[in-house]
Each structure stands twice: as structure tokens, then as C-alpha cells.
DNA sequence: CACGCGTGGAT
DNA sequence: TATCCAAGCGT
């Protein structure tokens, strides 16, 4: 495909662009800081990579700052109750990440003397660390010559080569092409540079090819069909599910219930409600009361279905079953709920 | 390997 | 309003 000298030139052009135009993400250790002796903290890098999985930088960054303040070291995180971690994670989504984060912190803290393993193969054994995160930690923190491939890199590589195979089937091919280009001398900087190029220049809708250091060698640019890549297999439409939510007021408090540990929103607190099904379940509140229903349902879109919840509101005199999953909290303490339930309480105007 | 798994911003 | 999709992982 490319000669060695072409590959060298591409690497140099990318790193040169990154040095001048690359974003300074808060967890990034800049070259001048490295020269001054600074070295990336694997705990901080791991935390950032897990938090940014399928998450936008602006949404995730405040959580990263908050966690580093609450839990400055991996031992601090391991020592915290899982419930606290889930509470602070609320709103970030994909809650299995938080459960795996806490589990991983315990393993690092107890079985690895508080140190992260330095190779991709060892990192891959840890919960919540997959191919991308293992490669990234190994490359950034330990200068391992690993090729970093996230969604940004997939897009850049697919355009550079006009990869004809649709995603996700094309992943192995894209990995190979990316690895052939990756810089083994500065794997961390190279990987972050390529991700940043994808995030800021080689964007999904309207790429800024006139600013791109790689446009001369980009096959899609040469053909003028950049936005056709990466080709994707069409996704199936999201079904609709229906349900009821019961906003139970006890004086100035609200009854919440803990969800089961597995599955959707696992382990998180919820506004109690029915199952969510394609046919609307029967109205069946946990306790007898004078229930009133809000006119419009709350609509919430998950990754794989759309939910429409009828909201019912009542002052309740009797307590729900004391099975340990129920708790009454003040309205001030409802911000640590998944966004769906914050939306429900907001609609019911009780926050 | 296809699917389950959140949320919010951009267009 | 509808659609896309973001520094993916586990099963």
C-alpha cells in the first residue's frame, strides 16, 4: 500500500498537527510536561477511558473531575461503597461501567498492590477493560506499541482506504490497516492524535479536509466521497415499550426503590413502576391511594427501545413492602437518579 | 456474533 | 421532529 517513507511521513504529519492543533484534554500529559518529568497516572487515565466509552467529552469530563476529587487513588475508589459509586455515576449512563469500575478497583488494589498491569494482555483480564481501553492504557501510560482503535480511528482509516466492507464486519480489516500505520515509538501520542483528528477534522458529517494533514494520502478525499465512509449496516428500528410510573409522596418525601443488580439500570434507584412491555401493563400501584394521572406520558429513548411512561401521582399514607429495597428521600436527594427518573420527577413537578 | 446497555448534543 | 452517534464492553 504505502512505502515505509510514506508511512513515516504520515506519522510525522499527524504528530506535527497534533502538537499545534490538538485539543488539550484534561487527562492528557503534554510533551513539554513529559519532558519536565511528568508521567501519566494510570489510575487517572483508566478512569478517563472508562468514563469516555460511548460518551461525549463534554458530558463525561465533569464526572472525571468529580471522581478524582472524591477518590484520588484507586485504593480510595476500592474502599468506597458500590452504592456511593453508582450515586456519583448517575446521569452518565451505561451503569455496568460503574459496577465494573468498582470491581476493577478492588482487584487492582488488593491483587496488584495498587498498580495497574503494564501490558495489554494483562489489562484485558480486568473487568470493564476491553480491546480499546487495554490498548490505550498500555500505550499512553507504559509506552507499549499498541494500536489504538476507537470509533474516530475507524472512521479515519475507513476513509483513508475507502474500506468497502460495512461495519461492524470491517473491524478486523480496519484494525490491520490501523496497526500498519501506528507509530511504535510514540504509541500514546500517536493514538491520541489520531482520535483527535477524527473527533475534530475527520468528522462524521462535514469533515474539514482542507485542514487535514492526511488529505494527500486519503483515498476518499481523492474520490470526493468522504462521508460515504465508514459504510455501516443499517440498524433496525427501535421498538416502543409502555409502562406506568408511580410517584409516591410521603409528606415532603418521595418513595424510591432499588432496581435489581442485573440488566437495564442495574442497581440504580428508581421511581417505582410497572414492567415495560409492548402492550401497556395494567394500572397496579404498590399501595392504595388517591391516584391522579398526568395528561402526557414521559418519553425516553434508550439505545434499543423507546419508553413511554404514564405518570401517576399520589400522597400515600401506608408504607410499601419493607423488603429493604424501598427508601423515602427528600426531593433534594433525587439528583442521583438515572436521567429517566429525574425526568419523571421533573414532569411530576416534585423536585 | 448480534445484541443489551444511557444519555445528551449536533444537525 | 427525527436521526445520528460519541475515546466500547460483556455475553
Amino acid at each position: 500500500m504505502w512505502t515505509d517513507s510514506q508511512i513515516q511521513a504520515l506519522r510525522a504529519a499527524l504528530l506535527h498537527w497534533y502538537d499545534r492543533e490538538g485539543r488539550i484534554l484534561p487527562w492528557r500529559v503534554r510533551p513539554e510536561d513529559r519532558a519536565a518529568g511528568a508521567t501519566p497516572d494510570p489510575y487517572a487515565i483508566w478512569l478517563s477511558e472508562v468514563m469516555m466509552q460511548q460518551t461525549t467529552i463534554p458530558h463525561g469530563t465533569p464526572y472525571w473531575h468529580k471522581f478524582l476529587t472524591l477518590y484520588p487513588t484507586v485504593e480510595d475508589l476500592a474502599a468506597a461503597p458500590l452504592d456511593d459509586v453508582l450515586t456519583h455515576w448517575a446521569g452518565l449512563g451505561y451503569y455496568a461501567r460503574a459496577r465494573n469500575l468498582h470491581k476493577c478497583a478492588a482487584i487492582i488494589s488488593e491483587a496488584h498492590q495498587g498498580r495497574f498491569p503494564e501490558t495489554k494482555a494483562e489489562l484485558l483480564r480486568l473487568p470493564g477493560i476491553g480491546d480499546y481501553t487495554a490498548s490505550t492504557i498500555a500505550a499512553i501510560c507504559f509506552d507499549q506499541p499498541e494500536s489504538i482503535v476507537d470509533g474516530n480511528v475507524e472512521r479515519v482509516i475507513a476513509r483513508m482506504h475507502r474500506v468497502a466492507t460495512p461495519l461492524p464486519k470491517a473491524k478486523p480489516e480496519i484494525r490491520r490497516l490501523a496497526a500498519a500505520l501506528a507509530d511504535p515509538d510514540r504509541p500514546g501520542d500517536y493514538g491520541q492524535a489520531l482520535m483527535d483528528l477524527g473527533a475534530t477534522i475527520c468528522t462524521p458529517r462535514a469533515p474539514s479536509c482542507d485542514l487535514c494533514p492526511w488529505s494527500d494520502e486519503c483515498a476518499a478525499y481523492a474520490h470526493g466521497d468522504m462521508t460515504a465512509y465508514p459504510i455501516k449496516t443499517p440498524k433496525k428500528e427501535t421498538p416502543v415499550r409502555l409502562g406506568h410510573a408511580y410517584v409516591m409522596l410521603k409528606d415532603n418525601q418521595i418513595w424510591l426503590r432499588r432496581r435489581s443488580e442485573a440488566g437495564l439500570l442495574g442497581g440504580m434507584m428508581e421511581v417505582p413502576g410497572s414492567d415495560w412491555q409492548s402492550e401497556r401493563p395494567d394500572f397496579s400501584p404498590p399501595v392504595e391511594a388517591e391516584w391522579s394521572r398526568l395528561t402526557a406520558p414521559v418519553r425516553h429513548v434508550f439505545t434499543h427501545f423507546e419508553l413511554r411512561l404514564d405518570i401517576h401521582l399520589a400522597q400515600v399514607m401506608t408504607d410499601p413492602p419493607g423488603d429493604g429495597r424501598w427508601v423515602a428521600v427528600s426531593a433534594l436527594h433525587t439528583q442521583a437518579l438515572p436521567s429517566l427518573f429525574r425526568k419523571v420527577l421533573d414532569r411530576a413537578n416534585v423536585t
Side-chain angles (χ1 to χ4, degrees):
Chain A
M1 179 65 218
W2 284 310
T3 66
D4 283 349
S5 66
Q6 280 178 308
I7 290 176
Q8 299 290 346
L10 285 168
R11 292 171 180 164
L14 177 65
L15 288 167
H16 183 248
W17 168 83
Y18 189 53
D19 284 341
R20 300 174 45 157
E21 310 291 338
R23 292 177 303 175
I24 309 298
L25 301 184
W27 46 88
R28 175 181 164 204
V29 177
R30 294 152 44 150
E32 56 265 39
D33 298 331
R34 264 213 200 216
T39 167
D41 173 10
Y43 169 64
I45 296 296
W46 165 69
L47 195 57
S48 76
E49 294 306 334
V50 172
M51 282 186 168
M52 301 310 146
Q53 290 165 5
Q54 293 292 285
T55 303
T56 57
I57 303 289
H59 189 48
T61 298
Y63 286 83
W64 182 77
H65 286 295
K66 178 170 75 172
F67 269 65
L68 277 187
T69 301
L70 291 165
Y71 314 117
T73 69
V74 68
E75 287 87 358
D76 296 323
L77 180 57
L82 173 60
D83 184 30
D84 288 1
V85 175
L86 288 173
T87 292
H88 295 301
W89 194 274
L92 200 48
Y94 286 138
Y95 297 94
R97 291 185 295 169
R99 299 194 296 274
N100 284 329
L101 190 83
H102 189 252
K103 195 181 305 178
C104 183
I107 294 172
I108 296 295
S109 187
E110 292 161 19
H112 293 259
Q113 291 77 46
R115 296 171 197 269
F116 280 79
E118 302 190 2
T119 66
K120 176 178 179 181
E122 292 175 280
L123 287 161
L124 269 175
R125 297 197 204 113
L126 296 166
I129 297 184
D131 190 272
Y132 161 79
T133 305
S135 298
T136 304
I137 295 173
I140 293 178
C141 301
F142 305 113
D143 291 318
Q144 301 286 315
E146 300 294 347
S147 169
I148 296 174
V149 180
D150 74 334
N152 292 303
V153 176
E154 284 180 349
R155 184 170 56 254
V156 174
I157 298 298
R159 288 173 176 173
M160 288 290 283
H161 294 274
R162 296 180 86 231
V163 172
T165 311
L167 286 173
K169 191 184 294 286
K171 281 177 182 289
E173 179 182 358
I174 291 177
R175 275 192 228 282
R176 281 202 316 277
L177 295 167
L181 215 43
D183 189 336
D185 295 324
R186 298 177 60 187
D189 287 336
Y190 173 90
Q192 292 175 88
L194 192 49
M195 290 191 281
D196 208 50
L197 185 77
T200 63
I201 302 290
C202 195
T203 54
R205 312 270 178 116
S208 305
C209 301
D210 52 336
L211 301 177
C212 181
W214 280 8
S215 59
D216 285 351
E217 302 293 341
C218 179
Y221 181 65
H223 285 257
D225 57 357
M226 297 81 66
T227 56
Y229 300 91
I231 299 171
K232 300 194 172 182
T233 55
K235 57 185 64 174
K236 56 177 66 172
E237 61 195 271
T238 62
V240 174
R241 293 189 198 171
L242 307 173
H244 301 282
Y246 307 108
V247 179
M248 301 161 59
L249 301 177
K250 178 190 186 186
D251 302 321
N252 288 327
Q253 293 188 307
I254 300 165
W255 280 108
L256 300 178
R257 184 173 63 183
R258 187 174 300 281
R259 296 174 63 82
S260 68
E261 317 306 319
L264 186 70
L265 306 172
M268 301 299 292
M269 300 303 293
E270 68 172 355
V271 175
S274 68
D275 289 339
W276 305 335
Q277 305 164 353
S278 55
E279 300 290 323
R280 185 174 296 287
D282 292 334
F283 172 73
S284 178
V287 299
E288 298 276 341
E290 299 265 339
W291 289 98
S292 63
R293 182 175 68 85
L294 300 189
T295 311
V298 161
R299 186 169 162 282
H300 189 81
V301 181
F302 291 99
T303 307
H304 51 298
F305 67 93
E306 173 189 331
L307 179 63
R308 293 176 192 163
L309 280 183
D310 269 347
I311 311 301
H312 306 267
L313 189 59
Q315 285 283 346
V316 300
M317 305 305 171
T318 56
D319 288 358
D323 61 0
R325 293 193 159 270
W326 290 86
V327 60
V329 303
S330 81
L332 295 177
H333 291 78
T334 58
Q335 71 281 9
L337 290 170
S339 294
L340 162 63
F341 301 115
R342 282 194 279 113
K343 198 184 297 184
V344 167
L345 294 179
D346 198 52
R347 179 70 70 80
N349 203 19
V350 295
T351 55

